[in-house]
Amino acid sequence: MPSTRFLGSLSTPRVDITIDTGNLFFNQALEGFLKIGSVAATRSIAEDSFKAINGGKLSKHCLERSLKKMCKEGAYWAGVYVGMEYGVGRIRGTWDWKNAMIGGALTGALVSAATNNNKDQIVSDALTGGAVATASVLLNYLT
């Protein structure tokens, strides 16, 4: 009796962009803006979509406001994160995933404290920032 086999592999898609400016800080700044900026922009889109669905209205003004918020938050989070991660790396004297974790947590806490007065939300944003930043670095190690 003939038998059949199926052989294959499954891999995650990977997009590597390497931009070498000749300066470690500028390289990390570009990488941070691409990674964390896109995460912050996605977060903003998710929040505004949720509000629009629950509010039951979607207008041109709502979309324009959402786009402006997405760009502003993406740049804001990315800029703070890059500075924090670079500073932590300089203080620790090493470049590893722990810098991303500490930098992400500090960024989440700082951005949340600047925009919210709720202490529970600050802790939650610090944990989220640290987790997302760490996951983005660790995912690069897996592939």
mmCIF file of all heavy atoms in Angstrom, residues 24-68:
data_model
loop_
_atom_site.group_PDB
_atom_site.id
_atom_site.type_symbol
_atom_site.label_atom_id
_atom_site.label_comp_id
_atom_site.label_asym_id
_atom_site.label_seq_id
_atom_site.Cartn_x
_atom_site.Cartn_y
_atom_site.Cartn_z
ATOM 1 N N LEU A 24 25.988 55.266 16.353
ATOM 2 C CA LEU A 24 25.154 54.318 17.080
ATOM 3 C C LEU A 24 23.831 54.941 17.498
ATOM 4 O O LEU A 24 22.771 54.323 17.358
ATOM 5 C CB LEU A 24 25.899 53.787 18.309
ATOM 6 C CG LEU A 24 25.143 52.795 19.178
ATOM 7 C CD1 LEU A 24 24.788 51.546 18.388
ATOM 8 C CD2 LEU A 24 25.954 52.442 20.399
ATOM 9 N N PHE A 25 23.861 56.163 17.997
ATOM 10 C CA PHE A 25 22.628 56.810 18.445
ATOM 11 C C PHE A 25 21.654 57.017 17.284
ATOM 12 O O PHE A 25 20.466 56.760 17.411
ATOM 13 C CB PHE A 25 22.918 58.141 19.129
ATOM 14 C CG PHE A 25 21.673 58.841 19.593
ATOM 15 C CD1 PHE A 25 20.966 58.370 20.683
ATOM 16 C CD2 PHE A 25 21.193 59.953 18.925
ATOM 17 C CE1 PHE A 25 19.807 58.993 21.108
ATOM 18 C CE2 PHE A 25 20.035 60.579 19.344
ATOM 19 C CZ PHE A 25 19.344 60.108 20.438
ATOM 20 N N PHE A 26 22.149 57.486 16.140
ATOM 21 C CA PHE A 26 21.274 57.699 14.989
ATOM 22 C C PHE A 26 20.714 56.382 14.466
ATOM 23 O O PHE A 26 19.552 56.308 14.063
ATOM 24 C CB PHE A 26 21.994 58.443 13.876
ATOM 25 C CG PHE A 26 22.285 59.881 14.203
ATOM 26 C CD1 PHE A 26 23.491 60.448 13.858
ATOM 27 C CD2 PHE A 26 21.363 60.675 14.868
ATOM 28 C CE1 PHE A 26 23.769 61.769 14.164
ATOM 29 C CE2 PHE A 26 21.618 61.988 15.191
ATOM 30 C CZ PHE A 26 22.836 62.546 14.830
ATOM 31 N N ASN A 27 21.528 55.324 14.483
ATOM 32 C CA ASN A 27 21.031 54.006 14.069
ATOM 33 C C ASN A 27 19.894 53.544 14.981
ATOM 34 O O ASN A 27 18.871 53.049 14.513
ATOM 35 C CB ASN A 27 22.149 52.969 14.092
ATOM 36 C CG ASN A 27 23.174 53.187 13.013
ATOM 37 O OD1 ASN A 27 22.961 53.934 12.072
ATOM 38 N ND2 ASN A 27 24.304 52.529 13.157
ATOM 39 N N GLN A 28 20.071 53.703 16.281
ATOM 40 C CA GLN A 28 19.037 53.298 17.227
ATOM 41 C C GLN A 28 17.809 54.198 17.127
ATOM 42 O O GLN A 28 16.686 53.749 17.310
ATOM 43 C CB GLN A 28 19.580 53.306 18.649
ATOM 44 C CG GLN A 28 20.535 52.165 18.909
ATOM 45 C CD GLN A 28 20.996 52.133 20.349
ATOM 46 O OE1 GLN A 28 21.030 53.143 21.022
ATOM 47 N NE2 GLN A 28 21.358 50.945 20.811
ATOM 48 N N ALA A 29 18.031 55.473 16.834
ATOM 49 C CA ALA A 29 16.900 56.383 16.679
ATOM 50 C C ALA A 29 16.024 55.966 15.506
ATOM 51 O O ALA A 29 14.795 55.915 15.620
ATOM 52 C CB ALA A 29 17.402 57.811 16.491
ATOM 53 N N LEU A 30 16.637 55.640 14.390
ATOM 54 C CA LEU A 30 15.864 55.204 13.229
ATOM 55 C C LEU A 30 15.128 53.900 13.505
ATOM 56 O O LEU A 30 13.956 53.741 13.162
ATOM 57 C CB LEU A 30 16.779 55.038 12.017
ATOM 58 C CG LEU A 30 17.296 56.338 11.405
ATOM 59 C CD1 LEU A 30 18.337 56.039 10.336
ATOM 60 C CD2 LEU A 30 16.152 57.139 10.821
ATOM 61 N N GLU A 31 15.821 52.956 14.136
ATOM 62 C CA GLU A 31 15.196 51.677 14.465
ATOM 63 C C GLU A 31 14.034 51.877 15.439
ATOM 64 O O GLU A 31 12.963 51.290 15.291
ATOM 65 C CB GLU A 31 16.220 50.722 15.066
ATOM 66 C CG GLU A 31 15.645 49.368 15.396
ATOM 67 C CD GLU A 31 16.660 48.444 16.051
ATOM 68 O OE1 GLU A 31 17.845 48.810 16.170
ATOM 69 O OE2 GLU A 31 16.247 47.351 16.459
ATOM 70 N N GLY A 32 14.232 52.733 16.432
ATOM 71 C CA GLY A 32 13.178 53.004 17.410
ATOM 72 C C GLY A 32 11.971 53.672 16.790
ATOM 73 O O GLY A 32 10.829 53.330 17.108
ATOM 74 N N PHE A 33 12.203 54.625 15.888
ATOM 75 C CA PHE A 33 11.072 55.279 15.240
ATOM 76 C C PHE A 33 10.285 54.288 14.385
ATOM 77 O O PHE A 33 9.067 54.356 14.309
ATOM 78 C CB PHE A 33 11.533 56.463 14.393
ATOM 79 C CG PHE A 33 11.593 57.737 15.166
ATOM 80 C CD1 PHE A 33 12.801 58.210 15.655
ATOM 81 C CD2 PHE A 33 10.446 58.465 15.431
ATOM 82 C CE1 PHE A 33 12.857 59.383 16.384
ATOM 83 C CE2 PHE A 33 10.501 59.640 16.163
ATOM 84 C CZ PHE A 33 11.703 60.102 16.644
ATOM 85 N N LEU A 34 10.979 53.355 13.747
ATOM 86 C CA LEU A 34 10.273 52.371 12.933
ATOM 87 C C LEU A 34 9.478 51.394 13.792
ATOM 88 O O LEU A 34 8.331 51.083 13.509
ATOM 89 C CB LEU A 34 11.258 51.609 12.049
ATOM 90 C CG LEU A 34 11.900 52.421 10.934
ATOM 91 C CD1 LEU A 34 12.973 51.599 10.228
ATOM 92 C CD2 LEU A 34 10.861 52.883 9.936
ATOM 93 N N LYS A 35 10.088 50.896 14.870
ATOM 94 C CA LYS A 35 9.429 49.892 15.708
ATOM 95 C C LYS A 35 8.385 50.500 16.636
ATOM 96 O O LYS A 35 7.204 50.172 16.571
ATOM 97 C CB LYS A 35 10.463 49.137 16.544
ATOM 98 C CG LYS A 35 11.288 48.166 15.771
ATOM 99 C CD LYS A 35 12.234 47.450 16.700
ATOM 100 C CE LYS A 35 13.088 46.454 15.953
ATOM 101 N NZ LYS A 35 14.057 45.812 16.849
ATOM 102 N N ILE A 36 8.823 51.351 17.526
ATOM 103 C CA ILE A 36 7.934 51.871 18.556
ATOM 104 C C ILE A 36 6.941 52.866 17.973
ATOM 105 O O ILE A 36 5.787 52.928 18.400
ATOM 106 C CB ILE A 36 8.742 52.502 19.709
ATOM 107 C CG1 ILE A 36 9.701 51.471 20.305
ATOM 108 C CG2 ILE A 36 7.828 53.063 20.775
ATOM 109 C CD1 ILE A 36 9.040 50.228 20.847
ATOM 110 N N GLY A 37 7.365 53.623 16.974
ATOM 111 C CA GLY A 37 6.440 54.558 16.324
ATOM 112 C C GLY A 37 5.277 53.834 15.685
ATOM 113 O O GLY A 37 4.131 54.270 15.763
ATOM 114 N N SER A 38 5.548 52.704 15.063
ATOM 115 C CA SER A 38 4.457 51.938 14.438
ATOM 116 C C SER A 38 3.546 51.313 15.497
ATOM 117 O O SER A 38 2.332 51.242 15.309
ATOM 118 C CB SER A 38 5.012 50.869 13.502
ATOM 119 O OG SER A 38 5.804 49.953 14.205
ATOM 120 N N VAL A 39 4.105 50.888 16.621
ATOM 121 C CA VAL A 39 3.286 50.342 17.707
ATOM 122 C C VAL A 39 2.383 51.430 18.285
ATOM 123 O O VAL A 39 1.185 51.215 18.510
ATOM 124 C CB VAL A 39 4.172 49.724 18.818
ATOM 125 C CG1 VAL A 39 3.361 49.401 20.057
ATOM 126 C CG2 VAL A 39 4.877 48.493 18.293
ATOM 127 N N ALA A 40 2.933 52.615 18.521
ATOM 128 C CA ALA A 40 2.136 53.716 19.073
ATOM 129 C C ALA A 40 1.051 54.152 18.090
ATOM 130 O O ALA A 40 -0.072 54.451 18.492
ATOM 131 C CB ALA A 40 3.040 54.893 19.424
ATOM 132 N N ALA A 41 1.384 54.176 16.807
ATOM 133 C CA ALA A 41 0.389 54.545 15.802
ATOM 134 C C ALA A 41 -0.731 53.513 15.752
ATOM 135 O O ALA A 41 -1.916 53.861 15.658
ATOM 136 C CB ALA A 41 1.055 54.677 14.438
ATOM 137 N N THR A 42 -0.385 52.245 15.855
ATOM 138 C CA THR A 42 -1.394 51.182 15.863
ATOM 139 C C THR A 42 -2.280 51.282 17.099
ATOM 140 O O THR A 42 -3.498 51.104 17.022
ATOM 141 C CB THR A 42 -0.714 49.803 15.814
ATOM 142 O OG1 THR A 42 0.135 49.755 14.669
ATOM 143 C CG2 THR A 42 -1.715 48.687 15.763
ATOM 144 N N ARG A 43 -1.687 51.602 18.226
ATOM 145 C CA ARG A 43 -2.453 51.774 19.465
ATOM 146 C C ARG A 43 -3.454 52.910 19.308
ATOM 147 O O ARG A 43 -4.616 52.801 19.713
ATOM 148 C CB ARG A 43 -1.502 52.069 20.613
ATOM 149 C CG ARG A 43 -2.189 52.362 21.927
ATOM 150 C CD ARG A 43 -1.149 52.671 23.019
ATOM 151 N NE ARG A 43 -1.784 53.109 24.221
ATOM 152 C CZ ARG A 43 -1.862 54.375 24.604
ATOM 153 N NH1 ARG A 43 -1.335 55.326 23.867
ATOM 154 N NH2 ARG A 43 -2.452 54.697 25.726
ATOM 155 N N SER A 44 -3.012 53.997 18.715
ATOM 156 C CA SER A 44 -3.890 55.144 18.506
ATOM 157 C C SER A 44 -5.055 54.797 17.575
ATOM 158 O O SER A 44 -6.198 55.180 17.826
ATOM 159 C CB SER A 44 -3.083 56.305 17.930
ATOM 160 O OG SER A 44 -3.901 57.410 17.670
ATOM 161 N N ILE A 45 -4.762 54.054 16.515
ATOM 162 C CA ILE A 45 -5.822 53.635 15.590
ATOM 163 C C ILE A 45 -6.831 52.747 16.307
ATOM 164 O O ILE A 45 -8.046 52.905 16.134
ATOM 165 C CB ILE A 45 -5.219 52.881 14.382
ATOM 166 C CG1 ILE A 45 -4.477 53.851 13.481
ATOM 167 C CG2 ILE A 45 -6.293 52.154 13.600
ATOM 168 C CD1 ILE A 45 -3.691 53.171 12.382
ATOM 169 N N ALA A 46 -6.343 51.828 17.120
ATOM 170 C CA ALA A 46 -7.244 50.924 17.846
ATOM 171 C C ALA A 46 -8.141 51.693 18.806
ATOM 172 O O ALA A 46 -9.350 51.435 18.883
ATOM 173 C CB ALA A 46 -6.436 49.870 18.590
ATOM 174 N N GLU A 47 -7.581 52.637 19.547
ATOM 175 C CA GLU A 47 -8.379 53.421 20.488
ATOM 176 C C GLU A 47 -9.442 54.235 19.762
ATOM 177 O O GLU A 47 -10.604 54.267 20.172
ATOM 178 C CB GLU A 47 -7.477 54.364 21.284
ATOM 179 C CG GLU A 47 -6.674 53.696 22.357
ATOM 180 C CD GLU A 47 -5.768 54.680 23.096
ATOM 181 O OE1 GLU A 47 -5.667 55.852 22.671
ATOM 182 O OE2 GLU A 47 -5.163 54.268 24.086
ATOM 183 N N ASP A 48 -9.050 54.918 18.682
ATOM 184 C CA ASP A 48 -9.998 55.757 17.963
ATOM 185 C C ASP A 48 -11.062 54.931 17.250
ATOM 186 O O ASP A 48 -12.210 55.357 17.142
ATOM 187 C CB ASP A 48 -9.271 56.661 16.970
ATOM 188 C CG ASP A 48 -8.504 57.775 17.668
ATOM 189 O OD1 ASP A 48 -8.740 57.996 18.874
ATOM 190 O OD2 ASP A 48 -7.669 58.427 17.014
ATOM 191 N N SER A 49 -10.705 53.759 16.762
ATOM 192 C CA SER A 49 -11.691 52.878 16.134
ATOM 193 C C SER A 49 -12.721 52.421 17.161
ATOM 194 O O SER A 49 -13.921 52.382 16.882
ATOM 195 C CB SER A 49 -11.012 51.664 15.515
ATOM 196 O OG SER A 49 -10.125 52.044 14.510
ATOM 197 N N PHE A 50 -12.241 52.065 18.346
ATOM 198 C CA PHE A 50 -13.137 51.644 19.419
ATOM 199 C C PHE A 50 -14.113 52.762 19.784
ATOM 200 O O PHE A 50 -15.312 52.528 19.939
ATOM 201 C CB PHE A 50 -12.318 51.212 20.636
ATOM 202 C CG PHE A 50 -13.148 50.755 21.796
ATOM 203 C CD1 PHE A 50 -13.739 49.501 21.779
ATOM 204 C CD2 PHE A 50 -13.347 51.568 22.890
ATOM 205 C CE1 PHE A 50 -14.512 49.064 22.845
ATOM 206 C CE2 PHE A 50 -14.105 51.151 23.959
ATOM 207 C CZ PHE A 50 -14.695 49.893 23.942
ATOM 208 N N LYS A 51 -13.586 53.993 19.907
ATOM 209 C CA LYS A 51 -14.448 55.135 20.247
ATOM 210 C C LYS A 51 -15.465 55.408 19.154
ATOM 211 O O LYS A 51 -16.619 55.720 19.427
ATOM 212 C CB LYS A 51 -13.595 56.373 20.501
ATOM 213 C CG LYS A 51 -12.822 56.325 21.793
ATOM 214 C CD LYS A 51 -11.956 57.555 21.957
ATOM 215 C CE LYS A 51 -11.086 57.458 23.197
ATOM 216 N NZ LYS A 51 -10.158 58.594 23.306
ATOM 217 N N ALA A 52 -15.041 55.303 17.893
ATOM 218 C CA ALA A 52 -15.960 55.565 16.780
ATOM 219 C C ALA A 52 -17.054 54.507 16.717
ATOM 220 O O ALA A 52 -18.222 54.817 16.468
ATOM 221 C CB ALA A 52 -15.193 55.603 15.463
ATOM 222 N N ILE A 53 -16.707 53.256 16.956
ATOM 223 C CA ILE A 53 -17.702 52.176 16.916
ATOM 224 C C ILE A 53 -18.686 52.318 18.074
ATOM 225 O O ILE A 53 -19.897 52.182 17.894
ATOM 226 C CB ILE A 53 -17.015 50.800 16.938
ATOM 227 C CG1 ILE A 53 -16.292 50.570 15.608
ATOM 228 C CG2 ILE A 53 -18.014 49.693 17.215
ATOM 229 C CD1 ILE A 53 -15.387 49.365 15.596
ATOM 230 N N ASN A 54 -18.178 52.603 19.264
ATOM 231 C CA ASN A 54 -19.062 52.764 20.412
ATOM 232 C C ASN A 54 -19.900 54.028 20.317
ATOM 233 O O ASN A 54 -21.029 54.060 20.789
ATOM 234 C CB ASN A 54 -18.272 52.783 21.714
ATOM 235 C CG ASN A 54 -17.895 51.400 22.166
ATOM 236 O OD1 ASN A 54 -18.454 50.418 21.701
ATOM 237 N ND2 ASN A 54 -16.951 51.313 23.074
ATOM 238 N N GLY A 55 -19.341 55.082 19.735
ATOM 239 C CA GLY A 55 -20.084 56.331 19.579
ATOM 240 C C GLY A 55 -21.114 56.264 18.474
ATOM 241 O O GLY A 55 -22.056 57.052 18.433
ATOM 242 N N GLY A 56 -20.916 55.352 17.540
ATOM 243 C CA GLY A 56 -21.877 55.181 16.463
ATOM 244 C C GLY A 56 -21.761 56.197 15.353
ATOM 245 O O GLY A 56 -22.619 56.274 14.493
ATOM 246 N N LYS A 57 -20.703 56.994 15.341
ATOM 247 C CA LYS A 57 -20.567 57.966 14.269
ATOM 248 C C LYS A 57 -19.127 57.989 13.764
ATOM 249 O O LYS A 57 -18.171 57.830 14.510
ATOM 250 C CB LYS A 57 -20.993 59.356 14.719
ATOM 251 C CG LYS A 57 -20.177 59.920 15.869
ATOM 252 C CD LYS A 57 -20.663 61.290 16.250
ATOM 253 C CE LYS A 57 -19.817 61.837 17.398
ATOM 254 N NZ LYS A 57 -20.192 63.180 17.751
ATOM 255 N N LEU A 58 -19.022 58.171 12.486
ATOM 256 C CA LEU A 58 -17.721 58.247 11.834
ATOM 257 C C LEU A 58 -17.808 59.355 10.795
ATOM 258 O O LEU A 58 -18.636 59.301 9.889
ATOM 259 C CB LEU A 58 -17.376 56.908 11.177
ATOM 260 C CG LEU A 58 -15.996 56.781 10.559
ATOM 261 C CD1 LEU A 58 -14.933 56.908 11.637
ATOM 262 C CD2 LEU A 58 -15.852 55.466 9.840
ATOM 263 N N SER A 59 -16.988 60.358 10.952
ATOM 264 C CA SER A 59 -17.036 61.492 10.037
ATOM 265 C C SER A 59 -15.641 61.808 9.512
ATOM 266 O O SER A 59 -14.637 61.264 9.989
ATOM 267 C CB SER A 59 -17.609 62.716 10.751
ATOM 268 O OG SER A 59 -16.726 63.125 11.786
ATOM 269 N N LYS A 60 -15.591 62.702 8.555
ATOM 270 C CA LYS A 60 -14.301 63.132 7.994
ATOM 271 C C LYS A 60 -13.464 63.813 9.080
ATOM 272 O O LYS A 60 -12.268 63.592 9.172
ATOM 273 C CB LYS A 60 -14.538 64.076 6.825
ATOM 274 C CG LYS A 60 -13.277 64.514 6.144
ATOM 275 C CD LYS A 60 -13.559 65.427 4.970
ATOM 276 C CE LYS A 60 -12.260 65.911 4.366
ATOM 277 N NZ LYS A 60 -12.495 66.836 3.265
ATOM 278 N N HIS A 61 -14.121 64.602 9.906
ATOM 279 C CA HIS A 61 -13.414 65.275 11.001
ATOM 280 C C HIS A 61 -12.826 64.262 11.981
ATOM 281 O O HIS A 61 -11.693 64.420 12.456
ATOM 282 C CB HIS A 61 -14.371 66.225 11.726
ATOM 283 C CG HIS A 61 -13.772 66.886 12.929
ATOM 284 N ND1 HIS A 61 -12.782 67.832 12.829
ATOM 285 C CD2 HIS A 61 -14.011 66.712 14.255
ATOM 286 C CE1 HIS A 61 -12.433 68.224 14.053
ATOM 287 N NE2 HIS A 61 -13.167 67.559 14.926
ATOM 288 N N CYS A 62 -13.571 63.216 12.269
ATOM 289 C CA CYS A 62 -13.104 62.159 13.169
ATOM 290 C C CYS A 62 -11.882 61.450 12.585
ATOM 291 O O CYS A 62 -10.913 61.167 13.298
ATOM 292 C CB CYS A 62 -14.221 61.161 13.419
ATOM 293 S SG CYS A 62 -13.803 59.821 14.541
ATOM 294 N N LEU A 63 -11.904 61.178 11.287
ATOM 295 C CA LEU A 63 -10.763 60.531 10.635
ATOM 296 C C LEU A 63 -9.528 61.431 10.616
ATOM 297 O O LEU A 63 -8.408 60.965 10.829
ATOM 298 C CB LEU A 63 -11.140 60.117 9.212
ATOM 299 C CG LEU A 63 -12.134 58.967 9.100
ATOM 300 C CD1 LEU A 63 -12.536 58.769 7.646
ATOM 301 C CD2 LEU A 63 -11.569 57.697 9.680
ATOM 302 N N GLU A 64 -9.729 62.717 10.345
ATOM 303 C CA GLU A 64 -8.596 63.656 10.349
ATOM 304 C C GLU A 64 -7.975 63.762 11.734
ATOM 305 O O GLU A 64 -6.757 63.773 11.875
ATOM 306 C CB GLU A 64 -9.059 65.030 9.864
ATOM 307 C CG GLU A 64 -9.352 65.087 8.385
ATOM 308 C CD GLU A 64 -9.924 66.424 7.953
ATOM 309 O OE1 GLU A 64 -10.173 67.290 8.819
ATOM 310 O OE2 GLU A 64 -10.129 66.591 6.743
ATOM 311 N N ARG A 65 -8.824 63.843 12.755
ATOM 312 C CA ARG A 65 -8.328 63.918 14.131
ATOM 313 C C ARG A 65 -7.560 62.643 14.497
ATOM 314 O O ARG A 65 -6.506 62.685 15.136
ATOM 315 C CB ARG A 65 -9.492 64.150 15.086
ATOM 316 C CG ARG A 65 -9.038 64.426 16.517
ATOM 317 C CD ARG A 65 -10.196 64.691 17.456
ATOM 318 N NE ARG A 65 -10.971 63.473 17.632
ATOM 319 C CZ ARG A 65 -12.278 63.365 17.402
ATOM 320 N NH1 ARG A 65 -12.963 64.404 16.995
ATOM 321 N NH2 ARG A 65 -12.900 62.216 17.589
ATOM 322 N N SER A 66 -8.074 61.509 14.051
ATOM 323 C CA SER A 66 -7.421 60.233 14.320
ATOM 324 C C SER A 66 -6.052 60.155 13.648
ATOM 325 O O SER A 66 -5.073 59.681 14.243
ATOM 326 C CB SER A 66 -8.310 59.091 13.847
ATOM 327 O OG SER A 66 -7.691 57.870 14.073
ATOM 328 N N LEU A 67 -5.959 60.622 12.416
ATOM 329 C CA LEU A 67 -4.686 60.605 11.699
ATOM 330 C C LEU A 67 -3.659 61.514 12.368
ATOM 331 O O LEU A 67 -2.493 61.141 12.530
ATOM 332 C CB LEU A 67 -4.889 61.019 10.244
ATOM 333 C CG LEU A 67 -3.659 61.005 9.362
ATOM 334 C CD1 LEU A 67 -3.071 59.599 9.281
ATOM 335 C CD2 LEU A 67 -3.980 61.535 7.985
ATOM 336 N N LYS A 68 -4.085 62.697 12.781
ATOM 337 C CA LYS A 68 -3.175 63.614 13.475
ATOM 338 C C LYS A 68 -2.686 63.020 14.792
ATOM 339 O O LYS A 68 -1.508 63.104 15.132
ATOM 340 C CB LYS A 68 -3.868 64.951 13.732
ATOM 341 C CG LYS A 68 -4.038 65.796 12.502
ATOM 342 C CD LYS A 68 -4.748 67.091 12.821
ATOM 343 C CE LYS A 68 -4.995 67.890 11.561
ATOM 344 N NZ LYS A 68 -5.745 69.126 11.832
#
